[in-house]
Amino acid sequence: NCDICSKVIIHTGRQSNSAYIDHDHKTEVVRGVLCASCNTIDGFIKGNECAEIWAKNYMNYLENPPLEIHGIH
Protein backbone atom coordinates (compact mmCIF):
# COMPACT_ATOMS: atom_id res chain seq x y z
CA ASN A 1 0.00 0.00 0.00
CA CYS A 2 1.01 3.60 -0.57
CA ASP A 3 2.78 5.00 2.49
CA ILE A 4 0.83 8.28 2.21
CA CYS A 5 -2.74 7.43 1.14
CA SER A 6 -2.81 3.64 1.73
CA LYS A 7 -4.02 2.91 -1.83
CA VAL A 8 -3.31 -0.65 -2.92
CA ILE A 9 -0.37 -0.65 -5.32
CA ILE A 10 1.58 -3.31 -7.21
CA HIS A 11 5.28 -3.62 -7.84
CA THR A 12 5.29 -4.43 -11.55
CA GLY A 13 5.16 -2.27 -14.66
CA ARG A 14 3.94 1.28 -15.20
CA GLN A 15 0.22 1.20 -14.63
CA SER A 16 -2.15 3.48 -12.72
CA ASN A 17 -1.60 1.35 -9.61
CA SER A 18 2.18 0.97 -9.92
CA ALA A 19 4.55 1.40 -6.99
CA TYR A 20 7.06 4.27 -6.97
CA ILE A 21 10.10 4.09 -4.70
CA ASP A 22 10.35 7.50 -3.02
CA HIS A 23 13.85 8.67 -2.20
CA ASP A 24 15.76 11.82 -1.31
CA HIS A 25 17.49 12.96 -4.50
CA LYS A 26 20.38 14.52 -2.54
CA THR A 27 21.15 11.71 -0.08
CA GLU A 28 19.63 8.86 -2.14
CA VAL A 29 18.02 7.51 1.07
CA VAL A 30 14.82 5.56 0.34
CA ARG A 31 11.84 6.96 2.29
CA GLY A 32 9.03 4.64 1.24
CA VAL A 33 6.73 3.38 -1.49
CA LEU A 34 4.13 5.68 -3.09
CA CYS A 35 1.28 5.36 -5.57
CA ALA A 36 1.48 7.36 -8.82
CA SER A 37 -0.78 10.13 -7.51
CA CYS A 38 1.13 10.70 -4.27
CA ASN A 39 4.46 10.52 -6.11
CA THR A 40 3.28 13.21 -8.55
CA ILE A 41 1.95 15.46 -5.79
CA ASP A 42 5.12 14.94 -3.75
CA GLY A 43 7.22 16.08 -6.72
CA PHE A 44 5.02 19.09 -7.38
CA ILE A 45 5.03 20.26 -3.77
CA LYS A 46 8.81 19.90 -3.47
CA GLY A 47 9.20 21.97 -6.63
CA ASN A 48 6.97 24.75 -5.29
CA GLU A 49 8.80 27.58 -3.54
CA CYS A 50 6.17 27.83 -0.82
CA ALA A 51 4.45 24.47 -0.49
CA GLU A 52 2.75 25.39 2.80
CA ILE A 53 0.95 28.37 1.23
CA TRP A 54 0.02 26.27 -1.80
CA ALA A 55 -1.47 23.57 0.48
CA LYS A 56 -3.49 26.16 2.44
CA ASN A 57 -4.74 27.71 -0.80
CA TYR A 58 -5.70 24.27 -2.10
CA MET A 59 -7.65 23.41 1.06
CA ASN A 60 -9.42 26.79 0.87
CA TYR A 61 -10.22 26.12 -2.79
CA LEU A 62 -11.81 22.76 -1.92
CA GLU A 63 -13.80 24.24 0.96
CA ASN A 64 -14.91 27.34 -0.99
CA PRO A 65 -14.94 26.60 -4.73
CA PRO A 66 -14.91 29.94 -6.59
CA LEU A 67 -17.18 28.65 -9.35
CA GLU A 68 -19.54 26.53 -7.27
CA ILE A 69 -22.88 26.70 -9.05
CA HIS A 70 -25.68 24.74 -7.40
CA GLY A 71 -27.47 22.34 -9.69
CA ILE A 72 -24.54 21.92 -12.09
CA HIS A 73 -22.61 18.67 -11.70
Side-chain angles (χ1 to χ4, degrees):
N1 292 353
C2 175
D3 289 324
I4 294 177
C5 73
S6 300
K7 177 182 176 182
V8 174
I9 51 180
I10 59 172
H11 299 278
T12 59
R14 288 213 171 240
Q15 302 169 3
S16 62
N17 59 343
S18 293
Y20 290 80
I21 305 302
D22 179 48
H23 64 284
D24 184 306
H25 288 260
K26 292 179 183 174
T27 65
E28 297 184 6
V29 172
V30 172
R31 293 183 287 234
V33 179
L34 304 179
C35 69
S37 296
C38 289
N39 186 58
T40 299
I41 291 170
D42 176 61
F44 171 76
I45 289 176
K46 286 180 193 155
N48 193 307
E49 286 185 19
C50 194
E52 186 175 324
I53 291 173
W54 180 89
K56 286 179 184 177
N57 289 344
Y58 179 69
M59 293 306 298
N60 184 56
Y61 170 81
L62 292 179
E63 293 170 3
N64 306 293
L67 297 179
E68 181 176 32
I69 303 171
H70 295 286
I72 297 179
H73 300 279

